[in-house]
Structures are given as C-alpha cells and as structure tokens.
Amino acid sequence: MFAEPERSAIFPDPQWLQQQAAAVLSEAPQPGDHPVGFLILHYGMDGNYLLVSQWYDANMLKHWVRGSTVDAGGDTTFTPLAQRDLIACVWELEVIRFERDAWVNTVLAQGRLDQASRDAYLATTFSGWV
C-alpha cells in the first residue's frame, strides 16, 4: 500500500518481507491458530507500517501492527508501536474488509476449514485503489 504512487517502485524483496512477518509471528502456534492470514505493508505519509493478521478459531482474527525503524547500518525492521492499541488506518481497514469478505466467502460459507477452502482463500487477492 503506497500513500504516494511514485513510491510503488520500492516494492520489497519477498524473502525480506517474509522474514519481517516471521519475526512478528515468532511465538509457537496456539490451539485454534490457522496457518493462513494476511499482511499489509503500508508506505504511509507519516511512516511505514507492517500489519500482520492471522485467522484464529474459524471466525476470529489476531492482529499485530508494527512501525518501521532504521538502524545505524541502514537496515529496516519493524517494531511494536509506542501507541500499542492502534489497529489500522482507514485505508488499511479497506484491505482488512476485503480479507474478511474473502474468508467468509471461501471458508466460513463453505462450512468447512479444509485445505481446499484455505487454498480458495489464498487464491483471492486484492489489487486496486482504496
């Protein structure tokens, strides 16, 4: 997600992004955790944010928000925000709404939580302006 369209050329390396998400999900899976979810990388006007969400217990969503920090070597990582009770901005909420609808339509409406429904969820993608 880019607040300034010209910054879209900064798209990160997928392996680096996977490492950042894995750092957020560093705890062992809990009973009820599903191996699927979504993340939002938002290059905003006031900073860069990583939102990691994981489906839990059929109809619940776990959610973590991190802000970018740059160390002395110029490496960027994402750390918990000082304002820990923030959930998302209005633009991120549109993507979260899309993911909610995709989860309902591909998993919950099917009445099953099997590999086929998870694959259908993962095949549903969002692209566009919010």
Side-chain angles (χ1 to χ4, degrees):
M1 180 176 283
F2 302 94
E4 302 169 48
E6 62 276 6
R7 292 180 70 191
S8 64
I10 311 171
F11 198 81
D13 175 62
Q15 185 176 4
W16 174 83
L17 191 54
Q18 185 176 15
Q19 291 169 344
Q20 298 301 315
V24 173
L25 299 170
S26 60
E27 295 181 16
Q30 303 296 310
D33 284 349
H34 296 295
V36 293
F38 58 94
L39 65 83
I40 301 169
L41 179 59
H42 185 175
Y43 292 104
M45 297 295 283
D46 64 341
N48 301 327
Y49 301 93
L50 178 67
L51 293 76
V52 178
S53 299
Q54 179 182 24
W55 292 109
Y56 171 80
D57 194 27
N59 64 348
M60 302 295 284
L61 184 66
K62 291 183 173 184
H63 185 74
W64 299 267
V65 180
R66 302 290 188 261
S68 68
T69 58
V70 180
D71 65 19
D75 293 325
T76 300
T77 57
F78 290 89
T79 58
L81 300 176
Q83 181 71 334
R84 293 187 181 268
D85 52 353
L86 290 177
I87 296 172
C89 75
V90 297
W91 313 114
E92 296 156 351
L93 287 172
E94 181 64 15
V95 176
I96 293 169
R97 182 201 58 79
F98 172 87
E99 292 293 335
R100 176 259 177 218
D101 291 349
W103 184 255
V104 168
N105 293 328
T106 60
V107 177
L108 297 182
Q110 303 306 314
R112 62 183 193 276
L113 207 57
D114 60 8
Q115 191 60 48
S117 60
R118 287 193 301 263
D119 287 347
Y121 169 72
L122 292 173
T124 306
T125 60
F126 179 89
S127 180
W129 188 89
V130 294

